[in-house]
Amino acid sequence: MSMAKWIRAGAGVVVVVVLGFVVMGWYNDFKSAQSAAPVASPTTTSTVNTTLTADASVAGVGIAQIDGVNFRVKPSSSAKLIRGLKKGEEVTIILKEGQWYQVKDSKGKSGWVTANADYVAIKGK
């Protein structure tokens, strides 16, 4: 086999390996978002409390109870997903609206998570 053929074969292998890593990364991101979506969001009901209240009994620190708790831009299970929280990750609870907590993560990003204690428990309770 000539040197040119070896170089082309080597370049082809490098391209395939790089593409494999890229696709694997996309797949893992997709899988994380998909696996978290059905389990970490409460069902939406027609009666939603639209009054924002700073409830002292819930203000504090919330802890994700499972991997993939949905961290969303709005208090709705159909709202855009920011990311999934990791099990044990702590968030600062700002307020409660209906079945949702408005929270800030450790990097200061604001969003919404379910108020269901099976998914986000209040630290110390």
Side-chain angles (χ1 to χ4, degrees):
M1 190 177 229
S2 71
M3 182 61 97
K5 287 182 180 181
W6 279 105
I7 291 172
R8 279 190 296 235
V13 168
V14 169
V15 168
V16 169
V17 169
V18 169
L19 285 174
F21 281 113
V22 170
V23 170
M24 189 170 52
W26 289 340
Y27 176 74
N28 287 336
D29 289 346
F30 172 78
K31 188 171 75 172
S32 295
Q34 293 301 312
S35 66
V39 295
S41 293
T43 57
T44 303
T45 63
S46 60
T47 56
V48 175
N49 177 7
T50 57
T51 305
L52 298 178
T53 58
D55 184 348
S57 66
V58 297
V61 176
I63 303 171
Q65 299 298 296
I66 62 168
D67 275 331
V69 173
N70 288 330
F71 186 41
R72 297 186 179 277
V73 297
K74 294 181 183 176
S76 169
S77 58
S78 61
K80 181 180 175 190
L81 185 64
I82 296 170
R83 66 182 178 86
L85 300 178
K86 299 213 183 284
K87 183 176 182 177
E89 184 174 349
E90 294 186 357
V91 291
T92 302
I93 299 172
I94 300 166
L95 59 87
K96 183 177 181 186
E97 179 182 339
Q99 297 300 309
W100 295 87
Y101 292 133
Q102 184 180 27
V103 299
K104 279 192 178 182
D105 68 7
S106 62
K107 295 180 182 174
K109 179 75 175 171
S110 290
W112 295 84
V113 297
T114 179
N116 184 327
D118 291 339
Y119 301 108
V120 178
I122 297 174
K123 189 173 186 177
K125 285 195 177 186

Short mmCIF file of all heavy atoms in Angstrom, two decimals, residues 10-83:
data_model
loop_
_atom_site.label_atom_id
_atom_site.label_comp_id
_atom_site.label_asym_id
_atom_site.label_seq_id
_atom_site.Cartn_x
_atom_site.Cartn_y
_atom_site.Cartn_z
N GLY A 10 -5.81 6.78 7.26
CA GLY A 10 -5.65 7.33 8.61
C GLY A 10 -6.55 8.54 8.82
O GLY A 10 -7.18 8.69 9.87
N ALA A 11 -6.63 9.41 7.81
CA ALA A 11 -7.50 10.59 7.91
C ALA A 11 -8.96 10.16 8.02
O ALA A 11 -9.74 10.75 8.77
CB ALA A 11 -7.28 11.49 6.70
N GLY A 12 -9.33 9.14 7.29
CA GLY A 12 -10.70 8.64 7.35
C GLY A 12 -11.05 8.11 8.73
O GLY A 12 -12.14 8.36 9.26
N VAL A 13 -10.12 7.40 9.35
CA VAL A 13 -10.33 6.87 10.70
C VAL A 13 -10.49 8.02 11.69
O VAL A 13 -11.38 8.00 12.54
CB VAL A 13 -9.17 5.93 11.11
CG1 VAL A 13 -9.23 5.60 12.59
CG2 VAL A 13 -9.19 4.66 10.27
N VAL A 14 -9.65 9.05 11.57
CA VAL A 14 -9.74 10.20 12.46
C VAL A 14 -11.10 10.89 12.32
O VAL A 14 -11.75 11.23 13.32
CB VAL A 14 -8.58 11.20 12.19
CG1 VAL A 14 -8.81 12.52 12.91
CG2 VAL A 14 -7.25 10.59 12.59
N VAL A 15 -11.57 11.07 11.10
CA VAL A 15 -12.87 11.71 10.87
C VAL A 15 -13.99 10.88 11.50
O VAL A 15 -14.88 11.42 12.16
CB VAL A 15 -13.12 11.91 9.36
CG1 VAL A 15 -14.56 12.30 9.08
CG2 VAL A 15 -12.17 12.97 8.81
N VAL A 16 -13.96 9.58 11.32
CA VAL A 16 -15.00 8.72 11.89
C VAL A 16 -14.99 8.79 13.42
O VAL A 16 -16.04 8.88 14.06
CB VAL A 16 -14.82 7.26 11.40
CG1 VAL A 16 -15.70 6.30 12.18
CG2 VAL A 16 -15.12 7.17 9.91
N VAL A 17 -13.81 8.78 14.04
CA VAL A 17 -13.71 8.83 15.49
C VAL A 17 -14.24 10.17 16.01
O VAL A 17 -15.02 10.22 16.96
CB VAL A 17 -12.25 8.60 15.95
CG1 VAL A 17 -12.08 8.92 17.43
CG2 VAL A 17 -11.84 7.16 15.66
N VAL A 18 -13.86 11.28 15.38
CA VAL A 18 -14.32 12.60 15.80
C VAL A 18 -15.84 12.69 15.66
O VAL A 18 -16.54 13.15 16.56
CB VAL A 18 -13.62 13.72 15.02
CG1 VAL A 18 -14.27 15.07 15.25
CG2 VAL A 18 -12.14 13.78 15.40
N LEU A 19 -16.39 12.25 14.54
CA LEU A 19 -17.84 12.27 14.34
C LEU A 19 -18.54 11.41 15.39
O LEU A 19 -19.61 11.76 15.88
CB LEU A 19 -18.20 11.81 12.94
CG LEU A 19 -17.95 12.82 11.82
CD1 LEU A 19 -18.21 12.19 10.46
CD2 LEU A 19 -18.82 14.06 12.01
N GLY A 20 -17.94 10.29 15.73
CA GLY A 20 -18.52 9.43 16.75
C GLY A 20 -18.64 10.14 18.09
O GLY A 20 -19.67 10.06 18.76
N PHE A 21 -17.58 10.87 18.49
CA PHE A 21 -17.63 11.62 19.75
C PHE A 21 -18.67 12.73 19.70
O PHE A 21 -19.39 12.96 20.66
CB PHE A 21 -16.25 12.20 20.09
CG PHE A 21 -15.31 11.20 20.69
CD1 PHE A 21 -14.18 10.80 20.02
CD2 PHE A 21 -15.57 10.65 21.94
CE1 PHE A 21 -13.31 9.88 20.57
CE2 PHE A 21 -14.71 9.72 22.50
CZ PHE A 21 -13.58 9.34 21.82
N VAL A 22 -18.78 13.42 18.58
CA VAL A 22 -19.77 14.50 18.45
C VAL A 22 -21.18 13.93 18.56
O VAL A 22 -22.01 14.43 19.31
CB VAL A 22 -19.58 15.26 17.12
CG1 VAL A 22 -20.74 16.21 16.85
CG2 VAL A 22 -18.26 16.03 17.12
N VAL A 23 -21.46 12.87 17.82
CA VAL A 23 -22.79 12.27 17.85
C VAL A 23 -23.09 11.71 19.24
O VAL A 23 -24.20 11.86 19.74
CB VAL A 23 -22.92 11.18 16.76
CG1 VAL A 23 -24.19 10.37 16.92
CG2 VAL A 23 -22.86 11.82 15.38
N MET A 24 -22.11 11.10 19.88
CA MET A 24 -22.31 10.55 21.21
C MET A 24 -22.66 11.68 22.20
O MET A 24 -23.54 11.52 23.04
CB MET A 24 -21.06 9.81 21.68
CG MET A 24 -21.26 9.04 22.96
SD MET A 24 -19.90 7.93 23.38
CE MET A 24 -18.49 9.00 23.30
N GLY A 25 -22.01 12.82 22.09
CA GLY A 25 -22.33 13.97 22.94
C GLY A 25 -23.74 14.46 22.72
O GLY A 25 -24.48 14.73 23.67
N TRP A 26 -24.14 14.59 21.45
CA TRP A 26 -25.50 15.01 21.14
C TRP A 26 -26.51 14.01 21.70
O TRP A 26 -27.52 14.38 22.27
CB TRP A 26 -25.71 15.14 19.65
CG TRP A 26 -25.02 16.30 19.00
CD1 TRP A 26 -24.55 17.43 19.61
CD2 TRP A 26 -24.72 16.44 17.62
NE1 TRP A 26 -23.98 18.26 18.69
CE2 TRP A 26 -24.06 17.68 17.45
CE3 TRP A 26 -24.92 15.65 16.51
CZ2 TRP A 26 -23.63 18.14 16.22
CZ3 TRP A 26 -24.50 16.11 15.28
CH2 TRP A 26 -23.86 17.34 15.14
N TYR A 27 -26.24 12.74 21.51
CA TYR A 27 -27.15 11.70 21.99
C TYR A 27 -27.28 11.75 23.51
O TYR A 27 -28.38 11.66 24.04
CB TYR A 27 -26.67 10.32 21.54
CG TYR A 27 -27.52 9.21 22.08
CD1 TYR A 27 -28.80 8.96 21.58
CD2 TYR A 27 -27.07 8.41 23.13
CE1 TYR A 27 -29.60 7.96 22.11
CE2 TYR A 27 -27.86 7.41 23.66
CZ TYR A 27 -29.12 7.18 23.14
OH TYR A 27 -29.90 6.20 23.67
N ASN A 28 -26.17 11.90 24.22
CA ASN A 28 -26.23 11.95 25.68
C ASN A 28 -27.03 13.17 26.15
O ASN A 28 -27.80 13.08 27.10
CB ASN A 28 -24.83 11.95 26.28
CG ASN A 28 -24.16 10.60 26.18
OD1 ASN A 28 -24.83 9.58 26.07
ND2 ASN A 28 -22.84 10.59 26.19
N ASP A 29 -26.85 14.33 25.50
CA ASP A 29 -27.64 15.52 25.85
C ASP A 29 -29.12 15.26 25.61
O ASP A 29 -29.97 15.61 26.42
CB ASP A 29 -27.18 16.73 25.03
CG ASP A 29 -25.82 17.24 25.44
OD1 ASP A 29 -25.32 16.87 26.51
OD2 ASP A 29 -25.25 18.04 24.67
N PHE A 30 -29.43 14.66 24.46
CA PHE A 30 -30.82 14.36 24.12
C PHE A 30 -31.41 13.37 25.12
O PHE A 30 -32.51 13.56 25.63
CB PHE A 30 -30.89 13.78 22.70
CG PHE A 30 -32.25 13.27 22.33
CD1 PHE A 30 -33.26 14.13 21.96
CD2 PHE A 30 -32.52 11.92 22.34
CE1 PHE A 30 -34.51 13.67 21.62
CE2 PHE A 30 -33.76 11.43 22.01
CZ PHE A 30 -34.76 12.31 21.64
N LYS A 31 -30.66 12.32 25.42
CA LYS A 31 -31.13 11.29 26.34
C LYS A 31 -31.37 11.88 27.73
O LYS A 31 -32.37 11.57 28.37
CB LYS A 31 -30.11 10.15 26.41
CG LYS A 31 -30.59 8.94 27.18
CD LYS A 31 -29.65 7.78 27.03
CE LYS A 31 -28.41 8.03 27.86
NZ LYS A 31 -27.51 6.92 27.95
N SER A 32 -30.50 12.76 28.20
CA SER A 32 -30.66 13.39 29.51
C SER A 32 -31.93 14.22 29.55
O SER A 32 -32.70 14.16 30.50
CB SER A 32 -29.46 14.28 29.84
OG SER A 32 -28.32 13.51 29.98
N ALA A 33 -32.16 15.02 28.51
CA ALA A 33 -33.35 15.87 28.47
C ALA A 33 -34.61 15.02 28.36
O ALA A 33 -35.62 15.31 29.00
CB ALA A 33 -33.26 16.85 27.30
N GLN A 34 -34.57 13.97 27.56
CA GLN A 34 -35.75 13.13 27.37
C GLN A 34 -36.07 12.30 28.60
O GLN A 34 -37.23 12.15 28.96
CB GLN A 34 -35.57 12.20 26.15
CG GLN A 34 -35.51 12.93 24.84
CD GLN A 34 -36.76 13.74 24.59
OE1 GLN A 34 -37.86 13.25 24.74
NE2 GLN A 34 -36.59 14.99 24.20
N SER A 35 -35.06 11.76 29.24
CA SER A 35 -35.32 10.90 30.39
C SER A 35 -35.80 11.71 31.58
O SER A 35 -36.56 11.22 32.40
CB SER A 35 -34.08 10.10 30.77
OG SER A 35 -33.06 10.95 31.22
N ALA A 36 -35.40 12.97 31.67
CA ALA A 36 -35.81 13.81 32.79
C ALA A 36 -37.21 14.37 32.60
O ALA A 36 -37.94 14.56 33.55
CB ALA A 36 -34.82 14.94 32.97
N ALA A 37 -37.60 14.63 31.37
CA ALA A 37 -38.86 15.33 31.11
C ALA A 37 -40.09 14.65 31.69
O ALA A 37 -40.87 15.30 32.36
CB ALA A 37 -39.02 15.56 29.62
N PRO A 38 -40.31 13.36 31.49
CA PRO A 38 -41.56 12.79 31.98
C PRO A 38 -41.64 12.64 33.50
O PRO A 38 -42.70 12.71 34.05
CB PRO A 38 -41.62 11.42 31.34
CG PRO A 38 -40.52 11.34 30.37
CD PRO A 38 -39.57 12.44 30.68
N VAL A 39 -40.51 12.47 34.17
CA VAL A 39 -40.58 12.16 35.59
C VAL A 39 -40.44 13.37 36.49
O VAL A 39 -40.88 13.33 37.62
CB VAL A 39 -39.51 11.12 35.99
CG1 VAL A 39 -39.79 9.81 35.33
CG2 VAL A 39 -38.13 11.61 35.70
N ALA A 40 -39.86 14.44 36.04
CA ALA A 40 -39.53 15.52 36.95
C ALA A 40 -40.50 16.70 36.89
O ALA A 40 -40.27 17.68 37.54
CB ALA A 40 -38.12 16.01 36.66
N SER A 41 -41.57 16.60 36.14
CA SER A 41 -42.51 17.70 36.03
C SER A 41 -43.88 17.28 36.53
O SER A 41 -44.38 16.23 36.16
CB SER A 41 -42.65 18.15 34.57
OG SER A 41 -41.46 18.71 34.13
N PRO A 42 -44.48 18.14 37.35
CA PRO A 42 -45.85 17.82 37.76
C PRO A 42 -46.79 18.02 36.59
O PRO A 42 -46.46 18.73 35.64
CB PRO A 42 -46.14 18.82 38.87
CG PRO A 42 -45.23 19.97 38.57
CD PRO A 42 -44.01 19.36 37.92
N THR A 43 -47.95 17.41 36.66
CA THR A 43 -48.91 17.61 35.58
C THR A 43 -49.52 18.99 35.69
O THR A 43 -49.67 19.54 36.77
CB THR A 43 -50.03 16.55 35.65
OG1 THR A 43 -50.65 16.64 36.93
CG2 THR A 43 -49.50 15.16 35.42
N THR A 44 -49.82 19.58 34.56
CA THR A 44 -50.42 20.90 34.52
C THR A 44 -51.92 20.77 34.73
O THR A 44 -52.56 19.90 34.15
CB THR A 44 -50.14 21.58 33.17
OG1 THR A 44 -48.73 21.60 32.98
CG2 THR A 44 -50.68 22.99 33.14
N THR A 45 -52.47 21.62 35.57
CA THR A 45 -53.90 21.60 35.80
C THR A 45 -54.49 22.92 35.34
O THR A 45 -53.77 23.88 35.09
CB THR A 45 -54.23 21.39 37.29
OG1 THR A 45 -53.71 22.50 38.01
CG2 THR A 45 -53.65 20.09 37.81
N SER A 46 -55.81 22.97 35.25
CA SER A 46 -56.46 24.19 34.78
C SER A 46 -56.51 25.25 35.86
O SER A 46 -56.74 26.41 35.58
CB SER A 46 -57.87 23.88 34.28
OG SER A 46 -58.61 23.32 35.35
N THR A 47 -56.30 24.88 37.13
CA THR A 47 -56.29 25.88 38.20
C THR A 47 -54.87 26.10 38.65
O THR A 47 -54.27 25.27 39.30
CB THR A 47 -57.15 25.41 39.39
OG1 THR A 47 -56.67 24.15 39.82
CG2 THR A 47 -58.62 25.32 39.02
N VAL A 48 -54.33 27.23 38.27
CA VAL A 48 -52.96 27.57 38.63
C VAL A 48 -52.99 28.85 39.44
O VAL A 48 -53.61 29.83 39.05
CB VAL A 48 -52.09 27.77 37.36
CG1 VAL A 48 -50.70 28.23 37.72
CG2 VAL A 48 -52.04 26.48 36.56
N ASN A 49 -52.33 28.83 40.57
CA ASN A 49 -52.23 30.03 41.39
C ASN A 49 -51.26 30.99 40.72
O ASN A 49 -50.08 30.71 40.59
CB ASN A 49 -51.71 29.65 42.79
CG ASN A 49 -51.53 30.85 43.68
OD1 ASN A 49 -51.89 31.97 43.31
ND2 ASN A 49 -50.96 30.62 44.86
N THR A 50 -51.75 32.13 40.26
CA THR A 50 -50.90 33.07 39.55
C THR A 50 -50.34 34.15 40.46
O THR A 50 -49.64 35.03 40.02
CB THR A 50 -51.68 33.74 38.40
OG1 THR A 50 -52.84 34.37 38.93
CG2 THR A 50 -52.06 32.72 37.35
N THR A 51 -50.67 34.09 41.76
CA THR A 51 -50.14 35.06 42.70
C THR A 51 -48.76 34.61 43.15
O THR A 51 -48.58 33.50 43.63
CB THR A 51 -51.07 35.18 43.93
OG1 THR A 51 -52.37 35.48 43.48
CG2 THR A 51 -50.57 36.23 44.88
N LEU A 52 -47.78 35.49 42.98
CA LEU A 52 -46.43 35.19 43.44
C LEU A 52 -46.33 35.59 44.90
O LEU A 52 -46.64 36.72 45.26
CB LEU A 52 -45.40 35.96 42.62
CG LEU A 52 -45.36 35.64 41.13
CD1 LEU A 52 -44.32 36.50 40.43
CD2 LEU A 52 -45.05 34.18 40.90
N THR A 53 -45.92 34.65 45.74
CA THR A 53 -45.80 34.94 47.15
C THR A 53 -44.45 34.46 47.66
O THR A 53 -44.00 33.38 47.32
CB THR A 53 -46.90 34.24 47.97
OG1 THR A 53 -46.81 32.84 47.73
CG2 THR A 53 -48.27 34.75 47.62
N ALA A 54 -43.82 35.30 48.47
CA ALA A 54 -42.59 34.87 49.13
C ALA A 54 -43.01 34.21 50.43
O ALA A 54 -43.27 34.87 51.41
CB ALA A 54 -41.68 36.07 49.37
N ASP A 55 -43.13 32.92 50.42
CA ASP A 55 -43.61 32.15 51.57
C ASP A 55 -42.41 31.77 52.43
O ASP A 55 -41.56 30.98 52.03
CB ASP A 55 -44.34 30.90 51.06
CG ASP A 55 -44.96 30.08 52.18
OD1 ASP A 55 -44.66 30.34 53.36
OD2 ASP A 55 -45.76 29.19 51.85
N ALA A 56 -42.35 32.33 53.63
CA ALA A 56 -41.21 32.10 54.51
C ALA A 56 -41.06 30.62 54.87
O ALA A 56 -39.96 30.16 55.15
CB ALA A 56 -41.34 32.93 55.78
N SER A 57 -42.16 29.87 54.84
CA SER A 57 -42.07 28.46 55.20
C SER A 57 -41.40 27.62 54.12
O SER A 57 -41.00 26.51 54.39
CB SER A 57 -43.47 27.90 55.48
OG SER A 57 -44.25 27.89 54.30
N VAL A 58 -41.28 28.15 52.92
CA VAL A 58 -40.60 27.39 51.86
C VAL A 58 -39.29 28.02 51.43
O VAL A 58 -38.50 27.39 50.77
CB VAL A 58 -41.49 27.18 50.61
CG1 VAL A 58 -42.70 26.35 50.94
CG2 VAL A 58 -41.86 28.48 49.96
N ALA A 59 -39.06 29.29 51.79
CA ALA A 59 -37.81 29.93 51.41
C ALA A 59 -36.66 29.17 52.06
O ALA A 59 -36.77 28.72 53.19
CB ALA A 59 -37.80 31.39 51.84
N GLY A 60 -35.60 29.01 51.35
CA GLY A 60 -34.45 28.29 51.88
C GLY A 60 -33.72 27.57 50.78
O GLY A 60 -33.60 28.05 49.66
N VAL A 61 -33.27 26.37 51.09
CA VAL A 61 -32.48 25.58 50.15
C VAL A 61 -33.25 24.33 49.78
O VAL A 61 -33.77 23.62 50.63
CB VAL A 61 -31.11 25.21 50.77
CG1 VAL A 61 -30.32 24.30 49.84
CG2 VAL A 61 -30.32 26.46 51.10
N GLY A 62 -33.34 24.07 48.47
CA GLY A 62 -33.94 22.85 47.97
C GLY A 62 -32.86 21.92 47.48
O GLY A 62 -31.82 22.37 46.99
N ILE A 63 -33.10 20.63 47.60
CA ILE A 63 -32.12 19.62 47.17
C ILE A 63 -32.79 18.67 46.20
O ILE A 63 -33.83 18.09 46.51
CB ILE A 63 -31.58 18.82 48.38
CG1 ILE A 63 -30.95 19.77 49.41
CG2 ILE A 63 -30.57 17.77 47.91
CD1 ILE A 63 -30.61 19.10 50.71
N ALA A 64 -32.20 18.52 45.00
CA ALA A 64 -32.72 17.59 44.00
C ALA A 64 -32.62 16.17 44.53
O ALA A 64 -31.56 15.74 44.97
CB ALA A 64 -31.95 17.73 42.69
N GLN A 65 -33.74 15.45 44.50
CA GLN A 65 -33.80 14.10 45.05
C GLN A 65 -33.45 13.02 44.03
O GLN A 65 -33.20 11.88 44.40
CB GLN A 65 -35.19 13.83 45.62
CG GLN A 65 -35.56 14.78 46.75
CD GLN A 65 -34.62 14.64 47.93
OE1 GLN A 65 -34.56 13.60 48.56
NE2 GLN A 65 -33.86 15.69 48.22
N ILE A 66 -33.47 13.38 42.73
CA ILE A 66 -33.14 12.43 41.66
C ILE A 66 -32.32 13.16 40.61
O ILE A 66 -32.32 14.39 40.56
CB ILE A 66 -34.40 11.83 40.99
CG1 ILE A 66 -35.23 12.94 40.32
CG2 ILE A 66 -35.23 11.03 41.97
CD1 ILE A 66 -36.32 12.42 39.41
N ASP A 67 -31.63 12.43 39.77
CA ASP A 67 -30.95 13.02 38.62
C ASP A 67 -31.99 13.46 37.60
O ASP A 67 -32.97 12.75 37.36
CB ASP A 67 -30.01 12.01 37.94
CG ASP A 67 -28.65 11.95 38.61
OD1 ASP A 67 -28.21 12.97 39.17
OD2 ASP A 67 -28.02 10.88 38.57
N GLY A 68 -31.78 14.61 37.02
CA GLY A 68 -32.61 15.05 35.91
C GLY A 68 -33.84 15.86 36.28
O GLY A 68 -34.75 15.98 35.47
N VAL A 69 -33.90 16.41 37.51
CA VAL A 69 -35.04 17.26 37.85
C VAL A 69 -35.05 18.45 36.89
O VAL A 69 -34.05 19.14 36.74
CB VAL A 69 -34.97 17.75 39.32
CG1 VAL A 69 -36.07 18.76 39.61
CG2 VAL A 69 -35.05 16.58 40.28
N ASN A 70 -36.18 18.66 36.23
CA ASN A 70 -36.27 19.71 35.22
C ASN A 70 -36.14 21.10 35.83
O ASN A 70 -36.85 21.44 36.77
CB ASN A 70 -37.59 19.62 34.45
CG ASN A 70 -37.62 18.43 33.53
OD1 ASN A 70 -36.59 18.01 33.02
ND2 ASN A 70 -38.79 17.89 33.31
N PHE A 71 -35.24 21.89 35.26
CA PHE A 71 -34.99 23.27 35.65
C PHE A 71 -35.45 24.09 34.45
O PHE A 71 -34.82 24.05 33.40
CB PHE A 71 -33.49 23.43 35.93
CG PHE A 71 -33.05 24.75 36.48
CD1 PHE A 71 -33.78 25.42 37.44
CD2 PHE A 71 -31.87 25.32 36.04
CE1 PHE A 71 -33.34 26.63 37.96
CE2 PHE A 71 -31.42 26.52 36.55
CZ PHE A 71 -32.16 27.19 37.51
N ARG A 72 -36.58 24.78 34.58
CA ARG A 72 -37.26 25.40 33.44
C ARG A 72 -37.28 26.92 33.52
O ARG A 72 -37.09 27.49 34.59
CB ARG A 72 -38.69 24.88 33.34
CG ARG A 72 -38.76 23.38 33.08
CD ARG A 72 -40.19 22.92 32.85
NE ARG A 72 -40.28 21.51 32.57
CZ ARG A 72 -40.10 20.96 31.36
NH1 ARG A 72 -39.83 21.72 30.32
NH2 ARG A 72 -40.21 19.66 31.19
N VAL A 73 -37.56 27.56 32.36
CA VAL A 73 -37.59 29.02 32.30
C VAL A 73 -38.88 29.61 32.88
O VAL A 73 -38.91 30.77 33.27
CB VAL A 73 -37.38 29.55 30.86
CG1 VAL A 73 -36.00 29.18 30.34
CG2 VAL A 73 -38.45 29.07 29.92
N LYS A 74 -39.96 28.84 32.93
CA LYS A 74 -41.25 29.28 33.46
C LYS A 74 -41.87 28.15 34.28
O LYS A 74 -41.49 26.99 34.12
CB LYS A 74 -42.21 29.62 32.31
CG LYS A 74 -41.80 30.82 31.49
CD LYS A 74 -42.82 31.09 30.41
CE LYS A 74 -42.37 32.25 29.53
NZ LYS A 74 -43.31 32.47 28.43
N PRO A 75 -42.84 28.46 35.14
CA PRO A 75 -43.48 27.43 35.96
C PRO A 75 -44.54 26.65 35.19
O PRO A 75 -45.73 26.76 35.43
CB PRO A 75 -44.10 28.24 37.11
CG PRO A 75 -44.40 29.57 36.50
CD PRO A 75 -43.29 29.81 35.51
N SER A 76 -44.08 25.86 34.24
CA SER A 76 -44.98 25.06 33.41
C SER A 76 -44.20 23.85 32.89
O SER A 76 -43.05 23.98 32.49
CB SER A 76 -45.49 25.89 32.23
OG SER A 76 -46.14 25.07 31.29
N SER A 77 -44.87 22.69 32.87
CA SER A 77 -44.19 21.49 32.38
C SER A 77 -43.94 21.55 30.87
O SER A 77 -43.17 20.76 30.34
CB SER A 77 -45.01 20.23 32.72
OG SER A 77 -46.30 20.33 32.17
N SER A 78 -44.55 22.52 30.18
CA SER A 78 -44.28 22.68 28.75
C SER A 78 -43.29 23.80 28.47
O SER A 78 -42.95 24.06 27.31
CB SER A 78 -45.59 22.95 28.00
OG SER A 78 -46.19 24.14 28.46
N ALA A 79 -42.80 24.47 29.52
CA ALA A 79 -41.82 25.56 29.34
C ALA A 79 -40.47 25.00 28.91
O ALA A 79 -40.14 23.84 29.19
CB ALA A 79 -41.68 26.35 30.63
N LYS A 80 -39.69 25.85 28.28
CA LYS A 80 -38.35 25.46 27.80
C LYS A 80 -37.49 24.98 28.97
O LYS A 80 -37.46 25.57 30.03
CB LYS A 80 -37.68 26.65 27.12
CG LYS A 80 -36.32 26.33 26.56
CD LYS A 80 -35.70 27.54 25.89
CE LYS A 80 -34.29 27.22 25.46
NZ LYS A 80 -33.57 28.41 25.03
N LEU A 81 -36.81 23.87 28.73
CA LEU A 81 -35.92 23.27 29.71
C LEU A 81 -34.57 23.99 29.68
O LEU A 81 -33.96 24.13 28.62
CB LEU A 81 -35.74 21.79 29.40
CG LEU A 81 -34.95 20.94 30.38
CD1 LEU A 81 -35.67 20.88 31.72
CD2 LEU A 81 -34.75 19.55 29.82
N ILE A 82 -34.12 24.45 30.84
CA ILE A 82 -32.78 25.04 30.95
C ILE A 82 -31.76 23.92 31.01
O ILE A 82 -30.80 23.88 30.26
CB ILE A 82 -32.67 25.95 32.19
CG1 ILE A 82 -33.63 27.14 32.07
CG2 ILE A 82 -31.23 26.42 32.39
CD1 ILE A 82 -33.79 27.96 33.34
N ARG A 83 -32.01 22.98 31.93
CA ARG A 83 -31.16 21.79 32.09
C ARG A 83 -31.78 20.89 33.15
O ARG A 83 -32.78 21.24 33.75
CB ARG A 83 -29.74 22.18 32.49
CG ARG A 83 -29.62 22.81 33.87
CD ARG A 83 -28.17 23.21 34.17
NE ARG A 83 -28.04 23.86 35.45
CZ ARG A 83 -27.88 23.23 36.61
NH1 ARG A 83 -27.82 21.91 36.64
NH2 ARG A 83 -27.76 23.89 37.74
#
